[in-house]
Amino acid sequence: MSAEDFRRYGHQVVEWIADYLSHPERYPVLSQNKPDQLKEALPSKAPERGETMEAMLADLDRVIVPGMTHWNHPGFFAYFATSGSAPGILGEMLSAAFNVNAMLWRTSPSATELEEVTLEWLRQMIGLPDEFKGVIYDTASISTLCAIAAAREAAGLQVREQGLGATGAKLRMYASEHVHSSVDKSAITLGIGQAGLRKIPSDGEYRMDSRALEQAIQEDRANGWQPFCVVATTGTTSTTSIDPVPAIADICGREGLWLHVDAAYGGSAAVVPEMRWVLEGSDRADSLVVNPHKGLFVPVDLSVLYCRKMNVLRGAFSLVPEYLRTGEGEEVKNFMDYGPQLGRRFRALKFWFVMRYFGVEGLQDRLRLQIALAREFAGCVDQSDDFERLAPVPFSVVCFRAHPKSLSDEADLDTLNERLMDEVNRRGRVYLSHTKLAGKLTLRLAIGNIRTTREHVKLAWDELNEGLVRIRG
Ligand SMILES: *Cc1c(COP(=O)(O)O)cnc(C)c1O
């Protein structure tokens, strides 16, 4: 493509994006595509000859957009909302343009050092001690996988050299019953197995019961298991509950276990001084994951693993073949040494743009607003005769369900709430997802999109109330 054409189409694409971002509400937030709709709209083979950009851009509107679920839509309240903030998008465009592979310091010193600089800024912003150093991965699932690989390395069994089977050890790790499925997947991937992950019961507010943890560890030791790691969660996926990290850190200290804190969602809130408490005890963790692509307005993907023993993480993964040897010594970081992947994108650039554009205060203001809006919504639920709240609201996610006074059968309530969620989502103005709490189908309203205002939260409340009237006839 000539520079002239690049400029022309580049301007068109930027215009398209600016237009899209200023009116995401013109689309239904949840895609209304049927399965295979996109596949049927496109040829089954790649074109033999190149096509025009005009044709591709036309298909963007015709084929791609209808099949998008619009995470940029201010009515997106499902899962954990993310934000493609404008400075983040511009940073992403530039990193696509540079297209560096940041595997070694010398394959792009700026990418490596900007990663160190931005993660040092974030470390200070969330109040972790300065022994923690960071590394960027794509997702929290991979951050946690790498952390648990480091924990396995720290167990001193030489699993890396011999393989787990040859060591004969029965390794066991612990997490609450509300832990994210990525921890189960780490156990599967690392050869710990699902049997090697023991789920600890939680209390009435969905927080890990630390006494049950302690008992489980003793019991396991007596039965020939080798405990090696505990994963505590700050902001669990269903309810955003916070495990008692200080008590868990005490146990890990006494028992010599690696403590990994999954703060993928909850860690971002610690940027707000009055929310710092959510990371209480995490200063004693061995590793902690936080996802700027969830809470800090950075486009997907960007997850950060902080580790206070980077040498252990490195020991788990570093392997340098001749063709990757460089003359730089220990003064530089080669990020390929800290995970299974060699090639790495230049993700720090978009994060740097976001932090500089909003500033720490700008980020704090937006996070505070989201927390305030969630509390207001929780207040509406609490005052309503037709709805009830099902969990505390420490962050900006509200767990609730419709519960009209005339209904008491749990199965009927589940059916009602499932129908209500489908009804509201089908209308396309807001999108909510669900979970199960104590066997009850629970609706979740997760506020996290940078474009969501009080109006949109009010709209969600109206849609729910009107939807309830419609489905109850
Ligand atoms: C979202 C989330 C994850 C997984 O995040 P990915 O980046 O999508 O892998 C893990 N743990 C918690 C607590 C989460 O909220």
Side-chain angles (χ1 to χ4, degrees), residues 127-141:
L128 283 180
D130 62 7
E131 303 94 82
F132 283 89
K133 301 284 176 262
V135 46
I136 295 177
Y137 301 109
D138 52 0
T139 58
S141 304

Side-chain angles (χ1 to χ4, degrees), residues 80 138-142 180 182 233 235-237 262 264-265 291 293-294 303:
F80 285 120
D138 52 0
T139 58
S141 304
I142 299 304
H180 188 267
S182 58
T233 308
T236 55
T237 313
D262 182 353
Y265 167 70
N291 269 9
H293 78 216
K294 252 183 196 151
S303 175

Side-chain angles (χ1 to χ4, degrees), residues 145-157:
L145 176 82
C146 294
I148 297 172
R152 193 182 64 173
E153 184 69 14
L157 295 166

